[in-house]
């Protein structure tokens, strides 16, 4: 199963990715998570991408394509993968199509999570993430049991630096300018289906699963 989750920052991609990947037993691959990890470790890549991420700009395509190719070469992707946050530009999508064609592979579906910009600002400014395992929470809609502590691993919950409001607005503008064209790109490829991401998390999940199953005939 090879899937892409598409949608603006805050649409719920990471939240849904965790569930979908568990259901199909495929790794969920988030380029954003990989970059944050590289920044934390202060690797060469981390130093190269840090400024773009803190400004809410996209990382240059060649850096993104490099880490995705490296990640997809890992054996755990043999039965498929779910991409969260990649591709984000038309050149990334085109390069990814070439990569799949070379391997004789194809995508099963692209899921678009649709959410209004004003809701996204509220979601992102209230988002908290576990510093240790990356689990996603929200100060109003998905509270942790013990304040500031991850329910899953007891790690510390933090606010991402790029979730402060000024950066959020820039990220949403960047999405409209650079990533939105991918909706048409995958629509034309006959791969895209849309889910209303403003519904409760469990309803969004059920609709995603129904959409995937319709496409793969399971
Ligand atoms: P993305 O990965 O697309 O940036 P996240 O999955 O991190 O988005 O979700 C952003 C914020 O919105 C998080 O705080 C999350 O808990 C919350 N959230 C996700 N899905 C929903 C939903 N369906 N309804 C309300 N809040 C949600
Ligand atoms: P995310 O965790 O998906 O919200 O991504 C956080 C940040 O990482 C984005 O704002 C970008 O700066 C960078 N990033 C993640 N994925 C990509 C990508 N596919 N292309 C370019 N930049 C990316």
């Amino acid at each position: 199963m090879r899937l892409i989750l598409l949608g603006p920052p805050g649409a719920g991609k990471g939240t849904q990715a965790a569930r979908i990947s568990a259901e199909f037993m495929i790794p969920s691959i988030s380029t954003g998570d990989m970059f944050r990890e590289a920044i934390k470790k202060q690797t060469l890549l981390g130093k190269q991408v840090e400024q773009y991420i803190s400004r809410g700009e996209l990382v240059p395509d060649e850096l993104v394509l490099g880490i995705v190719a490296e990640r997809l070469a890992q054996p755990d992707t043999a039965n498929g993968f779910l991409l969260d946050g990649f591709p984000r530009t038309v050149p990334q999508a085109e390069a990814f199509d070439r990569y799949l064609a070379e391997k004789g592979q194809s995508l099963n579906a692209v899921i678009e999570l649709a959410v209004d910009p004003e809701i996204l600002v509220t979601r992102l400014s209230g988002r908290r993430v576990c510093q240790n395992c990356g689990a996603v929470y929200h100060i109003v809609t998905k509270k942790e049991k013990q304040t500031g502590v991850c329910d899953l691993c007891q790690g510390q919950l933090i606010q991402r630096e790029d979730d402060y409001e000024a950066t959020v607005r820039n990220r949403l503008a960047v999405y409209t300018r650079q990533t939105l064209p991918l909706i048409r790109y995958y629509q034309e490829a006959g791969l895209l289906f849309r889910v209303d991401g403003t519904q409760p998390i469990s309803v969004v999940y059920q609709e995603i699963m129904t959409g995937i199953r319709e496409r793969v005939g399971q």
Side-chain angles (χ1 to χ4, degrees):
M1 182 77 70
R2 293 183 203 91
L3 303 166
I4 290 178
L5 263 176
L6 193 63
K13 300 183 296 299
T15 302
Q16 299 297 333
R19 294 168 183 229
I20 301 165
S21 95
E23 173 68 28
F24 292 114
M25 291 188 292
I26 50 174
S28 153
I29 299 176
S30 156
T31 40
D33 281 350
M34 289 193 278
F35 288 137
R36 281 184 288 279
E37 194 56 32
I39 293 170
K40 200 155 59 169
K41 291 188 179 144
Q42 280 293 291
T43 62
L44 174 62
L45 176 72
K47 288 177 187 156
Q48 285 171 311
V49 303
E50 202 162 18
Q51 293 305 313
Y52 297 103
I53 293 185
S54 65
R55 287 196 300 263
E57 300 292 337
L58 292 187
V59 168
D61 289 340
E62 59 276 15
L63 293 178
V64 181
L65 292 167
I67 60 153
V68 170
E70 207 174 290
R71 180 64 186 86
L72 292 180
Q74 300 295 314
D76 66 337
T77 63
N79 293 324
F81 48 77
L82 169 66
L83 296 173
D84 160 9
F86 173 87
R88 254 178 160 99
T89 63
V90 171
Q92 286 180 21
E94 289 170 344
F96 186 52
D97 278 349
R98 289 193 294 274
Y99 168 92
L100 289 172
E102 273 168 26
K103 299 197 120 199
Q105 296 178 345
S106 55
L107 290 166
N108 295 97
V110 177
I111 305 137
E112 179 201 353
L113 289 181
V115 178
D116 274 359
E118 275 320 303
I119 297 178
L120 295 172
V121 175
T122 313
R123 279 196 186 177
L124 291 170
S125 43
R127 170 161 68 183
R128 299 294 181 269
V129 292
C130 174
Q131 208 174 15
N132 181 43
C133 74
V136 184
Y137 298 85
H138 189 275
I139 53 168
V140 177
T141 57
K142 195 174 185 299
K143 277 191 199 159
E144 66 278 20
K145 294 194 182 90
Q146 189 191 337
T147 308
V149 178
C150 178
D151 294 350
L152 305 178
C153 76
Q154 273 67 57
Q156 193 194 346
L157 302 191
I158 53 157
Q159 181 168 24
R160 272 170 52 175
E161 222 184 285
D162 59 348
D163 278 348
Y164 294 112
E165 191 164 335
T167 314
V168 162
R169 298 225 178 249
N170 190 36
R171 287 164 64 206
L172 295 178
V174 165
Y175 175 80
T176 304
R177 204 166 53 236
Q178 294 182 265
T179 308
L180 208 54
L182 288 184
I183 290 176
R184 170 176 271 193
Y185 182 92
Y186 285 118
Q187 239 163 10
E188 285 174 356
L191 287 167
L192 188 104
F193 70 94
R194 175 177 295 188
V195 173
D196 174 2
T198 60
Q199 307 174 95
I201 292 171
S202 58
V203 177
V204 174
Y205 175 67
Q206 279 160 18
E207 292 197 2
I208 291 175
M209 293 310 290
T210 305
I212 294 174
R213 294 207 160 103
E214 274 171 10
R215 264 150 200 86
V216 299
Q218 272 186 12

